Amino acid sequence: SRRRHTRYISVTGVQTCALPICYDPANLIVTGAPRFDPDWVGLLDRVLAERGLTRGRRPGVTTVVFFATKLVYDFDFERVVDWLDLVAGLPGVRLIVQPHPRGQGKSRFRRLTRHASCVIDMETPAAILMRDADVVSTLVSSVVCEAIVMGRPLLYPRFLNTLSTRFDEEGACIVAGSMEETAQALAACVETGVPAEAYARFLAHHVTGGHASPIAVTIDDMRALIADA
């Protein structure tokens, strides 16, 4: 390929990366642990706000964003939809459901659209949905790591899952143990949230490996692989 002029991006002060000048920063994708880095999350906050891509929270409305899971997980999908139907019907709640690209399609959630305040959104990037959310929810998804870095309350319907999750084990969520407990758990998300120490513990044990920057850890791992090659 032809050589192009490049500009340089400093990543948390530990590495400098060259990128073709034609790249639009909005099209850059960070995968794996680096996308959970607080510096990256903060940079994304600023870029999205500057470009007017986030709509912000709505006064008097509790926006709940639910990220659905892959088909590989064993759970009762119809019961999950029953629970989402309950959430969408709670007073003052605006529910946004994002189906997983490798999960049930949009049509499987059609029943929820009977609620005027419920949206099935396949298009909006998760990063934007989380920034407009008051509460984030899922059964199991790595996207919750970003939500936790951003300090969003995490609502976890434990009774719907057949798996043990790390964020639940660390107390980094508000648990709804049944349909009947859902309204109370959601209220706790909004009124008290998740203790900061629980979020810090989860991130240290399962995301950053005790390091301040997962980007730095990833770069160290890449250097080790190159050295062994």
Side-chain angles (χ1 to χ4, degrees):
S1 61
R2 290 181 298 174
R3 297 183 64 182
R4 300 175 181 175
H5 295 292
T6 58
R7 60 184 169 195
Y8 295 87
I9 295 179
S10 176
V11 181
T12 65
V14 296
Q15 181 75 6
T16 300
C17 303
L19 296 170
I21 193 68
C22 61
Y23 279 11
D24 183 339
N27 295 327
L28 296 180
I29 298 174
V30 177
T31 61
R35 84 179 200 263
F36 310 137
D37 190 285
D39 288 343
W40 171 260
V41 172
L43 173 63
L44 205 53
D45 277 338
R46 293 192 296 274
V47 171
L48 293 175
E50 289 169 0
R51 298 188 176 208
L53 295 175
T54 52
R55 294 171 285 275
R57 301 179 193 180
R58 302 185 180 189
V61 175
T62 299
T63 298
V64 179
V65 177
F66 181 83
F67 293 99
T69 59
K70 300 177 185 178
L71 285 172
V72 297
Y73 296 112
D74 180 25
F75 60 91
D76 186 338
F77 176 74
E78 291 304 322
R79 197 172 183 215
V80 172
V81 175
D82 287 342
W83 181 73
L84 292 171
D85 190 52
L86 170 67
V87 172
L90 293 174
V93 168
R94 173 175 174 254
L95 176 65
I96 300 174
V97 176
Q98 183 156 89
H100 194 283
R102 295 188 296 279
Q104 285 83 3
K106 185 175 182 177
S107 63
R108 296 290 303 278
F109 296 90
R110 185 180 296 121
R111 172 158 55 105
L112 301 175
T113 59
R114 71 189 183 92
H115 301 278
S117 59
C118 181
V119 177
I120 314 302
D121 190 334
M122 297 281 291
E123 306 299 329
T124 305
I128 293 177
L129 291 179
M130 284 188 288
R131 282 162 176 79
D132 290 338
D134 296 291
V135 176
V136 172
S137 183
T138 190
L139 293 186
V140 56
S141 173
S142 63
V143 77
V144 303
C145 298
E146 292 170 84
I148 287 173
V149 171
M150 293 180 346
R152 292 293 185 272
L154 177 59
L155 175 63
Y156 177 50
R158 181 194 288 156
F159 70 102
L160 296 174
N161 208 344
T162 58
L163 302 172
S164 175
T165 63
R166 300 302 185 195
F167 54 82
D168 186 18
E169 292 172 2
E170 298 288 2
C173 57
I174 301 293
V175 172
S178 65
M179 291 282 193
E180 293 74 22
E181 293 179 13
T182 298
Q184 183 178 357
L186 179 57
C189 285
V190 175
E191 295 167 8
T192 61
V194 177
E197 57 269 23
Y199 275 179
R201 183 170 59 247
F202 169 79
L203 292 172
H205 290 174
H206 305 291
V207 180
T208 65
H211 297 269
S213 168
I215 291 179
V217 174
T218 300
I219 290 173
D220 287 342
D221 289 344
M222 292 172 66
R223 283 174 175 158
L225 288 171
I226 292 170
D228 292 340

